[in-house]
DNA sequence: TATGAATGAGCATTCATTCAT
DNA sequence: CATGAATGAATGCTCATTCAT
């Protein structure tokens, strides 16, 4: 009496491999991310891996993809709890959400952002940026007087990239100054100062 | 009669190898950056390479290091020509300098910023940031009323990282919007808006 | 109510697999003749294949075996239509029959004769040769004055091998010269010249 | 005081690898002809093999090529010692030469002719055939009355293929009948009977 | 019987590094 | 110093075969 349909078995196996991939990446770094090693970590044979992924790259892509999707989801979820009206508060909310999301799997962020060729992460990272940018654009569109920048699209590009990079760097480097609170404050200032700067 | 002292010979050889490394990196990408290939490009034997560099990584590091030092020098030189008084003009000058400096060897920037594990660039990139940050800090220190941010050091950290990343991404992606002029304008707004934002 | 006895089921399954093997061989070549691929072509699972064949080799052998048996049958059938009295005419008939038989599945001949290790074909190809040799021997025995060769068995060995190889090579290479008609003529001359050569 | 120039070192190594390839082929068969195994047999590391051959196929090709060239040379050498005038004697000489040449490395002939995909041998085997064919054609051209066949080229094609295959098969199978002497006799009869057969 | 997921030994190939010359 | 042939561990990947279901 098999409860789970075939699909579920596959899904479980894919899960197992992806998780092994993630762990291998975090534990051994990108340079040691080899199919044999992942298979060993997953407790399967190298051949089995190829029943679920056409090649090494495909697996890596899924791991990376999943990471950025998770970050993206965490940002979205986190934001939902912090919706607020005023501009600076909004910027603060975004910053906090991003910091939380990036901090959630800092070890993997380190690999994804610092060991992988950026090219590998590009697409999914861009998806995250797009998602946040859409929120930003919607926000700006809904509150025309929140921004004095001439182009909302350009403003969103500027803001999102700047904030994302500041957050990433901060999470990875954890400098003494600014501390988290300061950082959020400065980001809020950066964003609101920019938006209210006369265009 | 050997004219040149050993040191000089070494220096010339190191130079030759580093240059070969740079060319290999640009021409073939990081994946094909192998010691054999570099040696061949340099017109020496693989064994000789190891007389000047302990391992492949060391060579790569020097190439990267040199790249960021060059960028750093170009920024400094470029800035010297644009020294100006007013805040926004200063921000504009920095942005322009950075864009120029990054654009000067865009092919290598692509490899260094998108193919190499970011970790490799870390130290020297940080050096560039430090250098610019120092300029920024000095500027802010000299003009206390230019900034309302509580900590000059933090403000410099924020500004430099934000501007550097925006410039890098823009050079690499060359998006239609913002175009260069717009970008400079927005960066100026970002920086001056931030600095004048009440802390 | 199962209509067919187990035997019949097996036979049908064997058939199905062998046919799939044949098609795989023709379509993809010997290098891609893998059990998985054959099973897929047969619409069964790789495991099932092993219920009918102990290993890959056994299946391949049956496919090859079947091919040469088919050729053998075609030669026999074709010959029945060309029975004639005079020696040269007989040689011509054999040549034509062989060419027809080999041409009938040229695609498979190519694989069997040029891609497979010849060893694989050995036994069954020998069976074909034996069959034709028997006809030849019988013919020679029935017409003692048709041959001046001392040993009919040896003469048959010589003639059959020579003719078979000439026919095979011609079918596979299809050289401009000799064309088919010429070839048949030359084979007839070869055979009758040989047989009438004083022993 | 290095006596041998660089070339010679390479040549020795190539020789060593080719010989190891030959031995591996003979000892373990085509299926076990792997680069690692050849390297081990040669007493070198797998990587070294690739300094002399771009890939496995290239090595195999050289082994096969060398085999057929050797056979070809042996035939030529052997023939030089048997040059004779009369037709049947000539055919006998060719047959003997071929049998000698093929017998010289029967173990390798087995692999080359029965295990390798024929395609691999094709080109070099064709070279042998061409070489012998040229001799035959020259012979026929020089003695117009030696042949009554209409086309010398076609006659050469027929004769060479027939004789080559008979010789090969005989060497590989070593049947009781015909024995070597008989075989040579029958081949002579085959050839001279054919050539004198009225076209 | 039939399945097909899982296996794992094996393969061809690469490349950073060494060391005898 | 310079050489470059030699190394050999490691890699991504395949496929004949097995066995729990």
């Amino acid at each position: 009496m098999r409860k789970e349909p075939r699909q579920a078995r596959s899904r479980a196996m894919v899960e197992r491999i992806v998780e092994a991939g993630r762990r291998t990446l975090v534990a051994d770094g990108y340079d040691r991310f080899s199919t044999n090693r992942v298979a060993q970590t997953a407790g399967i044979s190298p051949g089995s891996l190829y029943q679920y992924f056409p090649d090494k790259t495909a697996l890596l892509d899924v791991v990376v993809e999943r990471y950025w999707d998770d970050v993206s989801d965490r940002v979205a979820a986190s934001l939902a709890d912090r919706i607020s009206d005023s501009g600076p508060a909004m910027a603060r909310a975004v910053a906090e959400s991003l910091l939380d999301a990036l901090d959630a799997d800092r070890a993997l962020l380190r690999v994804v952002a610092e060991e992988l060729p950026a090219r590998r992460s590009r697409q999914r990272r861009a998806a995250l940026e797009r998602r946040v940018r859409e929120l930003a654009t919607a926000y700006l569109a809904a509150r025309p007087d929140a921004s004095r920048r001439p182009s909302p699209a350009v403003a969103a590009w500027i803001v999102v990239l700047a904030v994302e990079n500041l957050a990433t760097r901060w999470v990875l480097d954890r400098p003494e100054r600014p501390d988290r609170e300061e950082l959020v404050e400065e980001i809020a200032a950066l964003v609101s100062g920019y938006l209210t700067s006369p265009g």
Side-chain angles (χ1 to χ4, degrees), chain A:
Chain A
M1 223 162 292
R2 200 201 276 154
K3 289 268 184 63
E4 305 296 344
R6 220 172 293 155
Q7 275 289 343
R9 282 240 228 142
S10 284
R11 214 196 293 272
M13 193 66 158
V14 166
E15 213 55 40
R16 194 173 164 184
I17 296 171
V18 171
E19 175 55 19
R22 203 192 65 84
R23 271 163 53 199
T24 303
L25 221 37
V26 169
D28 303 332
Y30 176 55
D31 293 350
R32 298 215 179 290
F33 182 81
S34 75
T35 51
N36 288 347
R37 195 175 281 257
V38 171
Q40 198 179 27
T41 301
I44 62 172
S45 86
S48 296
L49 196 154
Y50 286 85
Q51 297 220 346
Y52 299 92
F53 297 91
D55 56 23
K56 182 188 165 177
T57 311
L59 168 57
L60 180 59
D61 283 349
V62 171
V63 174
V64 170
E65 179 175 316
R66 176 156 310 186
Y67 173 72
W68 286 116
D69 284 357
D70 285 356
V71 170
S72 194
D73 288 348
R74 279 196 286 266
V75 170
S78 182
L79 262 183
D81 295 346
R82 301 188 223 241
I83 281 301
S84 102
D85 280 8
S86 82
M90 185 63 184
R92 231 173 262 121
V94 173
E96 303 248 24
S97 299
L98 247 175
L99 288 171
D100 286 348
L102 294 172
D103 237 351
D105 195 347
R106 203 184 158 212
L108 189 49
L109 174 63
R110 170 138 286 133
V111 179
V112 163
E114 302 205 300
E115 296 197 23
L116 257 62
R119 178 170 27 93
R120 291 244 166 275
S121 258
R122 208 59 192 270
Q123 234 176 21
R124 285 291 150 169
R125 196 167 182 171
L128 165 62
E129 289 163 4
R130 205 177 313 120
R131 201 162 165 181
V132 179
R133 196 150 59 221
E134 273 159 19
L135 285 173
T137 308
Y139 180 87
L140 295 178
R143 289 167 191 71
D145 46 335
S147 167
R148 302 166 72 180
R149 295 283 88 211
S151 159
V154 167
W157 189 89
I158 295 276
V159 165
V160 170
L161 275 187
V163 174
E164 184 207 359
N165 277 307
L166 287 171
T168 303
R169 281 300 288 269
W170 188 86
V171 168
L172 289 177
D173 294 355
R174 278 216 202 288
E176 294 195 4
R177 294 290 303 275
D179 61 20
R180 197 181 199 272
E181 212 175 330
E182 271 181 306
L183 176 66
V184 170
E185 208 48 54
E186 297 305 301
I187 286 179
L190 185 72
V191 172
S192 62
Y194 168 61
L195 293 177
T196 59
S197 186

